[in-house]
Amino acid sequence: MTGVPASAAGGSSGARRAAAGAAAAASPAAPGKVAGTAAARSADGGAPGAGPGASSGGRHDGTAGTAAGDEAVPGEDAGLDAQDDGKTPRGAKIAAAAVNQASVWNIANLLTMLRLVLVPAFVALMLADGGYDPAWRSLAWAAFAIAMITDLFDGHLARTYNLVTDFGKIADPIADKAIMGAALICLSALGDLPWWVTGIILGRELGVTLLRFLVIRYGVIPASRGGKLKTLTQGVAVGMYVLALTGWLATLRWWVMAAAVVLTVVTGLDYVKQAIVLRRQGIAERKAALEEKEA
């Protein structure tokens, strides 16, 4: 006999039964794999030749490994908690705000800013030396042409490359109406274009803009092909009037301006019709939604 205690040498089956009972008790609260591992180590520790020290050491090693695995990088728990709560980490919000702020200076907005800068430059060139010098009028036409060309590209670039910003939504229509309004008013002030033409075109533009705001609660009035053709015709007609043309070109520009005025009136009436239809549809949809909710 070697003097091994009865609890270690002769109590192997008892130790196994005790370990199994402990595993069964622990299984509802802890994963079964951990409980089974603890039970196996406890049983092996009671086997002959293992010794109490080995059993204790195995348990301590397993506990230490689990503790080491649970210790994450500092700040990881906070990030996981934020994700679990469905909240965006603060650093991500700051980064997103920085990107949005930087996106204001994209190519589409820069073209819009260029048009805004060209408005006072155009007026100065148009009225230089009394407003009738062909050379200054040619420079004014160049500024007007650049403004109209950039108007064709900035919106397309913003939509194609996802460069749409709140600044662009506000500044783009302002720049469009500013350059066209400046040209029409200068031409009428110089006596080259009747004031009633200027009144019809500017009245239509302001009226449509106001109409869009009035029905925006019901939806958005999309730009029509007629509206785009109207803008192109207006640009060509006003550009021809800015230039000091004579002869048959002067006659041609009159007809082009007449076509622009007709398109202005027709498309303006079409916008009014669309606004009325959109408002009626919006009211009907809201009424139906309320009746469905009450039912």
Side-chain angles (χ1 to χ4, degrees):
M1 298 294 290
T2 57
V4 177
S7 61
S12 176
S13 60
R16 283 191 173 90
R17 287 194 298 271
S27 60
K33 185 176 180 181
V34 177
T37 304
R41 286 176 178 170
S42 176
D44 291 341
S55 174
S56 176
R59 286 194 299 272
H60 285 303
D61 290 342
T63 305
T66 303
D70 291 339
E71 290 179 2
V73 179
E76 183 177 356
D77 291 340
L80 293 175
D81 292 341
Q83 293 177 0
D84 291 340
D85 294 339
K87 298 178 180 179
T88 305
R90 185 176 181 181
K93 291 182 179 179
I94 296 175
V99 171
N100 291 335
Q101 184 65 24
S103 66
V104 174
W105 300 97
N106 59 58
I107 183 63
N109 287 344
L110 290 176
L111 291 176
T112 301
M113 295 177 193
L114 175 62
R115 288 211 312 282
L116 290 171
V117 172
L118 284 174
V119 173
F122 166 80
V123 173
L125 293 170
M126 189 71 181
L127 300 179
D129 198 14
Y132 297 102
D133 189 320
W136 288 110
R137 293 282 288 259
S138 298
L139 293 176
W141 176 87
F144 180 80
I146 293 173
M148 297 304 295
I149 292 172
T150 56
D151 180 35
L152 299 176
F153 288 102
D154 59 354
H156 175 73
L157 291 173
R159 291 186 296 270
T160 302
Y161 298 101
N162 195 24
L163 301 176
V164 179
T165 61
D166 292 337
F167 171 81
K169 293 177 183 178
I170 298 173
D172 182 68
I174 292 176
D176 297 342
K177 291 170 177 56
I179 188 67
M180 182 61 68
L184 291 170
I185 292 174
C186 286
L187 289 172
S188 294
L190 293 172
D192 293 339
L193 188 68
W195 277 105
W196 64 266
V197 174
T198 297
I200 289 177
I201 295 178
L202 293 184
R204 184 266 187 196
E205 297 300 328
L206 295 177
V208 168
T209 301
L210 180 60
L211 199 61
R212 287 178 181 271
F213 280 110
L214 290 176
V215 300
I216 196 170
R217 71 177 75 177
Y218 306 109
V220 177
I221 303 176
S224 62
R225 293 183 178 179
K228 295 178 181 179
L229 180 60
K230 178 269 307 178
T231 301
L232 178 62
T233 308
Q234 281 183 0
V236 174
V238 171
M240 294 181 71
Y241 267 87
V242 170
L243 288 172
L245 300 178
T246 57
W248 68 273
L249 289 176
T251 304
L252 178 62
R253 72 182 182 182
W254 187 92
W255 286 106
V256 176
M257 181 60 74
V261 171
V262 172
L263 287 172
T264 298
V265 174
V266 172
T267 55
L269 295 176
D270 182 62
Y271 271 110
V272 173
K273 178 183 176 182
Q274 291 186 54
I276 294 174
V277 172
L278 185 62
R279 182 176 180 273
R280 288 177 178 176
Q281 290 178 349
I283 293 175
E285 290 176 357
R286 289 188 177 185
K287 185 178 180 180
L290 288 175
E291 291 178 353
E292 183 179 355
K293 185 177 180 181
E294 291 176 354

